[in-house]
Amino acid sequence: MATRDPLDFDVGVEEDEDGAPSPSSPLSYFERDRHVAFFGMLYDLMPYHYQSQEINRLTLAFFTISGLHLLKALDRVDKDRVASWVLSFRAHPINQAELKNGQFYGFHGSRMSQFPPDENGVSVCNAGHLASTYCALAILKTVGFNILTIDKESILISMRNLQQPDGSFMPVHLGAETDLRFVYCAAAICFMLEDWSGMDREKTKDYILNCQSYDGGFGLMPGLESHGGGTYCAVASLRLMGYIEDDLLSKNATSSIINVPLLLDWCMQRQAIDGGFQGRANKSSDTCYAFWVGAVLRILGGYKFIDKIALRGFLLTCQSEFGGFSKYPRELPDLYHSYYGCTAFSLLEEPGLNPLCAELGMTDLAALGIL
Amino acid sequence: MESSEDDGEEPLSRIAEWRDVTPLPQDDGPNPVVPIAYKEKFRETILQKKKKEFRKTMNYFRTIYKADERSPRSLRLTRRVIHLNPGNYTVWHFRRFLLEALNSDLDDELDFVQRIANSNSKNYQLWHHRRWVVERLGTNARAKELHLIKSILSLDAKNYYARSHRQWVLQAVGGWEDELDYCRQLLEEYIFNNSAWNQRYFVETRSPFLGGLTAMRASEVRYSVEAILSIPNNECPWRYLLGLYKDDIESLVNNREVSSECLKVINTKNEYILALKMLLDLLCYGFQPCQEFGDAVVAPWTSDAHPLDPDLATTICDILEHVDSLRASYWIWRKNKLPVC
């Protein structure tokens, strides 16, 4: 069992070293209680198979906690304890001058990259990461912590250090790939902190638009093949930034900064004959794209066009008798696909689940009356 | 050059050169959430020993990282850590630091990264590190890079990471000359490979050796049409064909070859859904069909039980609602929006 960053799409499932038995025939309905048990088990203790994911510990926490919240089982979580734990990953500058030193004063993803402060109380080897920061803020909101009370200024000022000349974002100052995943993280962070000073929005928008492919979808970088995950990052970012309206398709907008008809057609074609969604043309259906592509359709106002019965049927073949969801039918579940399987069922308005905020990929707190 | 003597099997605590180091344990703090069950207790099998060693190795790494020790043994340690945990970006970053500080052989580094890639080809940090190395080696590394990516793609033709790297290499250090031919080979092997179609478009639009999309359009239309006629229900060449006319829809509408190919496929009465879709798009863009099109579209459907709308676009939407029933709601919506796309 292996999992990745929330935005590490298209990963292969690593084989269990001890071999894996195949689950039996699919269950015919959404098994909420089994999923609660699955996420609850991982919340308490993660199997050693996840040790290679230590560097992304906050991401693992996001999936488990937000998963429990979607399932209306957040009572299993000690909210104060979680908030303290998440806040302890914050990278702190000594002073204002440090904010321009190139580093990002967001949240670390793990103690592995976080070291105790030296004798002057300075945190050394800072490696604040955009994806970890997104996860941190999402977890804090989920457990009811008011994120507007944290020192958001240092996050936003130092986030600018990560933006590249072409508008993309590097996730960590140490040097890493730059692509739409981190544009999305940056946009989601600004949105949650209600402050867009963390980025040059025009440049960000231009980078996103350069990622739209000839077939209407978006690649993760300009020139790359259209991809369900890349398309989600592009469309959700533009929506969060306010460059596209909600429910575009119902508004008969005659122009938009993106080619909406082509995008819509591309998304619609991603539903395959088995009812599931594929991430790219002519690839197999995979649980998580029911969210990545489904959420794009929801944002555009086109979710109503999909065949929900067929999708539900596919997702149930990926539902595990052990709780959780697998990438492909009748395989073992992993945390990443379990989370996105639940978000997909929330999009399908499955009873017993919280409503989903498609743009943030978590429970719609506003719809629940929680701001 | 790094010593190959450290094969990662011997625990660091038993290696002489590490005797002066106290491993820095990771302090999870009070009440950690999602604690990971590192196996440190219980009777140790080989597997359990390896997992215990993982954590200990990471603790050694944390010590030298915090101390910023730029030494050959640090470099060897990063190799060991990367083998154990190739997803850890901190280690890769530190390794780059060390490679520069120690003025290491970067050709050897490419070989090291390749060995890691053999079992971890879907790892962002690995590919980023490779780009860093290639940037420093420049055009000398070009042939080796393109060859490596080819071998990875021969095992997994749609590996997104490898494809992203290939596009980067072409743009950074060149090698465009044979790329179109490579795309052709990939598509001969598997015409459904959307990654290869995308790469073809990438080359057409960005290669400094071709004339750009407009200049290449005629030959590319012929290429797409051949692919369509061989397998009409393959989405890729249809989208590619449309893509050739990006920002120039008028030329698409006026190209009789495209509309007549749609007609050919529709007339086969077999695998014609995508041809109907294309014809619908053409009509929305202003294509004026002759009677032959109307006859071909309605031929399988004409009966008293299924009266068809006199408007061809509406008829096509009605047909698609039935033959592409997975997207029935979408076709009904498209019909209601006509004549707009």
Side-chain angles (χ1 to χ4, degrees):
Chain A
M1 285 184 259
T3 187
R4 299 282 190 275
D5 263 326
L7 302 171
D8 261 356
F9 319 109
D10 218 35
V11 296
V13 173
E14 290 173 15
E15 287 179 22
D16 190 287
E17 287 173 38
D18 306 317
S22 307
S24 50
S25 53
L27 305 153
S28 57
Y29 52 90
F30 180 78
E31 292 263 8
R32 179 195 169 270
D33 291 347
R34 293 192 202 222
H35 300 312
V36 170
F38 178 85
F39 284 108
M41 176 195 73
L42 295 177
Y43 173 77
D44 289 331
L45 187 66
M46 304 214 69
Y48 68 85
H49 308 76
Y50 286 87
Q51 70 184 11
S52 62
Q53 290 303 306
E54 170 62 53
I55 194 74
N56 299 317
R57 188 87 162 258
L58 263 187
T59 305
L60 302 179
F62 166 73
F63 286 147
T64 51
I65 293 165
S66 189
L68 286 167
H69 193 213
L70 268 176
L71 292 163
K72 299 189 181 182
L74 202 63
D75 51 304
R76 289 190 165 222
V77 167
D78 181 336
K79 301 181 187 60
D80 290 337
R81 178 183 147 204
V82 166
S84 300
W85 181 76
V86 169
L87 289 168
S88 72
F89 284 93
R90 184 69 199 273
H92 294 282
I94 312 173
N95 52 44
Q96 283 287 99
E98 282 216 321
L99 297 178
K100 301 278 169 78
N101 66 6
Q103 297 185 30
F104 172 51
Y105 291 93
F107 289 75
H108 292 259
S110 163
R111 298 282 183 241
M112 187 174 271
S113 60
Q114 186 182 36
F115 296 84
D118 65 15
E119 50 278 358
N120 297 319
V122 174
S123 170
V124 297
C125 312
N126 172 44
H129 193 287
L130 276 179
S132 309
T133 304
Y134 158 67
C135 290
L137 295 177
I139 295 170
L140 289 170
K141 281 173 71 78
T142 298
V143 298
F145 184 87
N146 182 0
I147 61 172
L148 298 181
T149 62
I150 68 174
D151 168 25
K152 64 175 190 173
E153 196 189 30
S154 57
I155 294 178
L156 294 168
I157 293 174
S158 63
M159 187 193 292
R160 285 210 168 224
N161 297 327
L162 298 177
Q163 188 161 28
Q164 305 302 295
D166 66 355
S168 66
F169 278 83
M170 192 176 285
V172 64
H173 81 282
L174 302 175
E177 65 287 2
T178 62
D179 58 52
L180 273 182
R181 294 174 299 151
F182 306 114
V183 165
Y184 171 74
C185 290
I189 290 165
C190 289
F191 182 83
M192 286 191 275
L193 293 176
E194 299 178 16
D195 187 329
W196 291 91
S197 60
M199 62 161 68
D200 180 329
R201 281 210 287 177
E202 277 295 306
K203 271 192 174 167
T204 307
K205 179 197 71 171
D206 289 342
Y207 181 79
I208 297 171
L209 298 184
N210 284 336
C211 292
Q212 188 167 27
S213 171
Y214 61 86
D215 59 11
F218 288 77
L220 278 165
M221 297 174 76
L224 287 182
E225 187 185 1
S226 295
H227 187 287
T231 304
Y232 172 82
C233 288
V235 174
S237 297
L238 291 173
R239 176 75 199 110
L240 288 170
M241 292 161 77
Y243 284 115
I244 59 176
E245 290 177 77
D246 188 35
D247 197 9
L248 256 181
L249 295 173
S250 302
K251 298 197 163 94
N252 293 315
T254 50
S255 72
S256 171
I257 56 172
I258 55 176
N259 187 331
V260 175
L262 202 57
L263 168 62
L264 173 64
D265 195 80
W266 182 86
C267 290
M268 288 306 304
Q269 204 62 35
R270 300 287 58 80
Q271 187 166 21
I273 204 76
D274 59 10
F277 275 81
Q278 55 190 199
R280 296 183 262 166
N282 295 331
K283 286 209 80 178
S284 303
S285 300
D286 170 338
T287 297
C288 63
Y289 294 106
F291 170 74
W292 299 122
V293 180
V296 172
L297 287 167
R298 164 63 61 82
I299 292 169
L300 296 177
Y303 193 76
K304 57 194 173 190
F305 301 142
I306 71 161
D307 187 328
K308 293 178 185 163
I309 295 172
L311 174 60
R312 203 159 183 283
F314 172 80
L315 291 173
L316 288 174
T317 66
C318 299
Q319 179 174 242
S320 170
E321 61 186 334
F322 307 115
F325 288 85
S326 55
K327 178 181 171 82
Y328 297 131
R330 290 169 287 280
E331 291 187 353
L332 284 176
D334 64 74
L335 181 54
Y336 169 96
H337 289 96
S338 299
Y339 183 71
Y340 289 111
C342 289
T343 58
F345 266 97
S346 178
L347 281 174
L348 286 167
E349 296 177 338
E350 176 71 26
L353 287 173
N354 271 333
L356 190 78
C357 172
E359 295 87 348
L360 289 178
M362 54 186 279
T363 293
D364 187 346
L365 298 172
L368 294 181
I370 307 163
L371 294 170
Chain B
M1 189 166 92
E2 280 181 85
S3 165
S4 56
E5 289 170 13
D6 179 7
D7 58 6
E9 290 303 315
E10 187 70 17
L12 290 166
S13 54
R14 292 196 206 138
I15 298 178
E17 72 166 349
W18 289 101
R19 278 207 200 104
D20 64 306
V21 171
T22 305
L24 181 58
Q26 176 173 306
D27 179 8
D28 264 359
N31 304 314
V33 177
V34 297
I36 300 176
Y38 294 98
K39 289 197 170 178
E40 296 200 67
K41 299 175 185 170
F42 312 111
R43 201 162 62 84
E44 290 180 351
T45 62
I46 293 171
L47 185 64
Q48 286 163 335
K49 275 185 187 161
K50 280 190 176 172
K51 290 176 172 102
K52 182 175 171 179
E53 205 49 43
F54 173 88
R55 189 161 203 186
K56 285 187 168 177
T57 306
M58 291 313 302
N59 291 345
Y60 274 95
F61 172 72
R62 287 165 53 80
T63 303
I64 55 115
Y65 183 71
K66 190 180 177 193
D68 195 17
E69 182 186 310
R70 303 185 197 189
S71 66
R73 73 174 180 179
S74 293
L75 188 64
R76 285 193 293 277
L77 181 57
T78 60
R79 172 187 286 254
R80 184 187 273 237
V81 172
I82 285 167
H83 273 293
L84 285 174
N85 191 4
N88 187 318
Y89 51 82
T90 311
V91 181
W92 284 106
H93 161 72
F94 194 58
R95 188 173 173 86
R96 288 190 281 278
F97 236 32
L98 295 168
L99 290 168
E100 270 191 331
L102 300 173
N103 204 25
S104 302
D105 186 322
L106 293 182
D107 280 302
D108 288 345
E109 187 64 8
L110 285 184
D111 293 336
F112 163 65
V113 179
Q114 184 162 347
R115 283 195 295 279
I116 303 291
N118 287 341
S119 46
N120 293 282
S121 67
K122 297 187 177 185
N123 172 307
Y124 286 104
Q125 289 75 34
L126 179 153
W127 290 107
H128 174 76
H129 186 80
R130 214 175 162 90
R131 275 194 277 282
W132 181 89
V133 175
V134 169
E135 262 173 352
R136 279 146 186 78
L137 290 174
T139 52
N140 294 331
R142 178 168 72 203
K144 197 171 186 173
E145 272 323 87
L146 294 176
H147 179 76
L148 164 73
I149 300 164
K150 252 192 203 183
S151 60
I152 290 177
L153 291 175
S154 69
L155 299 170
D156 177 5
K158 303 177 190 180
N159 185 317
Y160 205 85
Y161 308 75
R163 291 222 159 265
S164 171
H165 187 65
R166 193 171 183 88
Q167 288 194 353
W168 178 86
V169 169
L170 289 168
Q171 291 176 111
V173 293
W176 294 96
E177 296 86 340
D178 301 323
E179 194 65 11
L180 202 60
D181 195 57
Y182 176 50
C183 293
R184 186 190 49 75
Q185 279 172 44
L186 289 174
L187 289 172
E188 269 172 16
E189 284 165 25
Y190 190 59
I191 196 76
F192 291 94
N193 185 342
N194 194 59
S195 305
W197 281 102
N198 182 78
Q199 186 71 355
R200 196 176 176 93
Y201 195 87
F202 176 79
V203 174
E204 293 292 344
T205 47
R206 299 187 194 219
S207 169
F209 295 98
L210 304 173
L213 199 58
T214 315
M216 300 296 294
R217 187 185 282 159
S219 58
E220 288 305 293
V221 166
R222 277 193 296 279
Y223 185 87
S224 319
V225 160
E226 257 180 56
I228 286 168
L229 291 177
S230 72
I231 308 194
N233 69 348
N234 180 2
E235 183 187 348
C236 305
W238 289 104
R239 296 221 183 262
Y240 186 81
L241 185 55
L242 203 55
L244 293 172
Y245 291 92
K246 194 174 175 227
D247 304 324
D248 188 9
I249 291 296
E250 198 179 327
S251 297
L252 169 69
V253 172
N254 294 333
N255 186 335
R256 294 282 141 187
E257 193 180 352
V258 174
S259 47
S260 71
E261 292 313 321
C262 286
L263 186 58
K264 255 187 221 169
V265 174
I266 294 168
N267 275 329
T268 65
K269 300 181 177 49
N270 186 30
E271 297 181 348
Y272 54 76
I273 292 178
L274 296 179
L276 283 177
K277 267 175 54 89
M278 176 62 95
L279 185 55
L280 176 65
D281 288 340
L282 290 173
L283 292 167
C284 290
Y285 292 138
F287 173 63
Q288 302 295 320
C290 60
Q291 189 55 42
E292 203 183 352
F293 284 89
D295 295 341
V297 166
V298 308
W301 298 91
T302 307
S303 80
D304 292 333
H306 293 102
L308 295 169
D309 197 286
D311 174 62
L312 185 56
T314 305
T315 298
I316 292 175
C317 288
D318 283 334
I319 294 170
L320 284 170
E321 188 191 327
H322 290 95
V323 302
D324 191 23
S325 54
L326 197 63
R327 283 164 273 275
S329 304
Y330 173 61
W331 296 120
I332 293 169
W333 178 80
R334 288 272 314 250
K335 180 173 69 174
N336 293 336
K337 287 207 62 109
L338 289 172
V340 174
C341 233

